[in-house]
Short mmCIF file of all heavy atoms in Angstrom, two decimals:
data_model
loop_
_atom_site.label_atom_id
_atom_site.label_comp_id
_atom_site.label_asym_id
_atom_site.label_seq_id
_atom_site.Cartn_x
_atom_site.Cartn_y
_atom_site.Cartn_z
N ALA A 211 0.48 4.15 -3.30
CA ALA A 211 1.17 4.16 -4.60
C ALA A 211 2.66 3.87 -4.43
O ALA A 211 3.24 3.06 -5.16
CB ALA A 211 0.96 5.49 -5.30
N LEU A 212 3.27 4.51 -3.45
CA LEU A 212 4.69 4.29 -3.19
C LEU A 212 4.93 2.86 -2.72
O LEU A 212 5.89 2.20 -3.15
CB LEU A 212 5.17 5.31 -2.15
CG LEU A 212 6.66 5.42 -1.90
CD1 LEU A 212 7.42 5.72 -3.18
CD2 LEU A 212 6.91 6.52 -0.87
N GLY A 213 4.06 2.36 -1.88
CA GLY A 213 4.17 0.98 -1.42
C GLY A 213 4.06 -0.02 -2.56
O GLY A 213 4.78 -1.02 -2.60
N ASP A 214 3.15 0.26 -3.49
CA ASP A 214 3.01 -0.63 -4.65
C ASP A 214 4.29 -0.66 -5.49
O ASP A 214 4.67 -1.71 -6.00
CB ASP A 214 1.83 -0.20 -5.52
CG ASP A 214 0.52 -0.84 -5.09
OD1 ASP A 214 0.55 -1.90 -4.43
OD2 ASP A 214 -0.52 -0.29 -5.43
N VAL A 215 4.93 0.47 -5.63
CA VAL A 215 6.19 0.52 -6.37
C VAL A 215 7.22 -0.40 -5.69
O VAL A 215 7.85 -1.24 -6.34
CB VAL A 215 6.73 1.97 -6.49
CG1 VAL A 215 8.18 1.98 -6.93
CG2 VAL A 215 5.87 2.76 -7.46
N HIS A 216 7.37 -0.25 -4.39
CA HIS A 216 8.32 -1.09 -3.66
C HIS A 216 7.92 -2.56 -3.72
O HIS A 216 8.77 -3.44 -3.90
CB HIS A 216 8.44 -0.64 -2.20
CG HIS A 216 9.18 0.63 -2.03
ND1 HIS A 216 10.51 0.79 -2.40
CD2 HIS A 216 8.80 1.82 -1.52
CE1 HIS A 216 10.90 2.02 -2.12
NE2 HIS A 216 9.88 2.67 -1.60
N TYR A 217 6.63 -2.83 -3.60
CA TYR A 217 6.14 -4.21 -3.66
C TYR A 217 6.49 -4.84 -5.01
O TYR A 217 7.00 -5.96 -5.08
CB TYR A 217 4.63 -4.25 -3.41
CG TYR A 217 4.05 -5.63 -3.47
CD1 TYR A 217 4.12 -6.48 -2.37
CD2 TYR A 217 3.46 -6.11 -4.63
CE1 TYR A 217 3.60 -7.76 -2.42
CE2 TYR A 217 2.95 -7.39 -4.70
CZ TYR A 217 3.02 -8.22 -3.60
OH TYR A 217 2.52 -9.48 -3.66
N ARG A 218 6.23 -4.10 -6.08
CA ARG A 218 6.52 -4.62 -7.42
C ARG A 218 8.01 -4.81 -7.67
O ARG A 218 8.42 -5.58 -8.53
CB ARG A 218 5.91 -3.70 -8.49
CG ARG A 218 4.39 -3.79 -8.51
CD ARG A 218 3.75 -2.83 -9.48
NE ARG A 218 4.27 -2.97 -10.83
CZ ARG A 218 4.11 -2.06 -11.78
NH1 ARG A 218 3.43 -0.94 -11.54
NH2 ARG A 218 4.61 -2.24 -12.98
N MET A 219 8.84 -4.10 -6.88
CA MET A 219 10.29 -4.24 -7.00
C MET A 219 10.84 -5.29 -6.03
O MET A 219 12.05 -5.41 -5.88
CB MET A 219 10.95 -2.88 -6.75
CG MET A 219 10.59 -1.83 -7.79
SD MET A 219 11.23 -0.20 -7.38
CE MET A 219 12.92 -0.36 -7.96
N ASN A 220 9.92 -5.98 -5.35
CA ASN A 220 10.29 -7.01 -4.35
C ASN A 220 11.06 -6.43 -3.17
O ASN A 220 11.85 -7.14 -2.54
CB ASN A 220 11.07 -8.16 -5.00
CG ASN A 220 10.29 -8.84 -6.09
OD1 ASN A 220 9.07 -8.98 -6.00
ND2 ASN A 220 10.96 -9.24 -7.15
N ARG A 221 10.82 -5.20 -2.88
CA ARG A 221 11.42 -4.55 -1.70
C ARG A 221 10.35 -4.56 -0.60
O ARG A 221 9.73 -3.53 -0.29
CB ARG A 221 11.85 -3.14 -2.03
CG ARG A 221 12.97 -3.09 -3.04
CD ARG A 221 13.35 -1.67 -3.37
NE ARG A 221 14.42 -1.65 -4.36
CZ ARG A 221 14.71 -0.59 -5.09
NH1 ARG A 221 14.04 0.52 -4.96
NH2 ARG A 221 15.69 -0.66 -5.97
N TYR A 222 10.14 -5.74 -0.04
CA TYR A 222 9.00 -5.94 0.85
C TYR A 222 9.11 -5.18 2.17
O TYR A 222 8.10 -4.78 2.73
CB TYR A 222 8.78 -7.43 1.09
CG TYR A 222 8.54 -8.17 -0.20
CD1 TYR A 222 9.46 -9.08 -0.69
CD2 TYR A 222 7.40 -7.92 -0.96
CE1 TYR A 222 9.25 -9.75 -1.88
CE2 TYR A 222 7.18 -8.57 -2.16
CZ TYR A 222 8.11 -9.48 -2.61
OH TYR A 222 7.90 -10.12 -3.81
N ASP A 223 10.34 -4.96 2.64
CA ASP A 223 10.49 -4.19 3.88
C ASP A 223 10.07 -2.74 3.66
O ASP A 223 9.37 -2.16 4.49
CB ASP A 223 11.93 -4.27 4.41
CG ASP A 223 12.97 -3.79 3.39
OD1 ASP A 223 12.73 -3.89 2.16
OD2 ASP A 223 14.03 -3.31 3.83
N LYS A 224 10.44 -2.17 2.53
CA LYS A 224 10.04 -0.79 2.23
C LYS A 224 8.55 -0.71 1.90
O LYS A 224 7.88 0.25 2.27
CB LYS A 224 10.88 -0.22 1.09
CG LYS A 224 12.32 0.02 1.50
CD LYS A 224 13.12 0.68 0.40
CE LYS A 224 14.53 0.92 0.90
NZ LYS A 224 15.29 1.76 0.00
N ALA A 225 8.05 -1.71 1.20
CA ALA A 225 6.61 -1.77 0.90
C ALA A 225 5.84 -1.81 2.21
O ALA A 225 4.85 -1.07 2.38
CB ALA A 225 6.28 -2.98 0.04
#
Side-chain angles (χ1 to χ4, degrees):
L212 190 56
D214 272 338
V215 165
H216 287 298
Y217 180 82
R218 290 176 54 197
M219 296 174 81
N220 301 324
R221 295 179 181 161
Y222 301 112
D223 57 332
K224 290 184 179 191

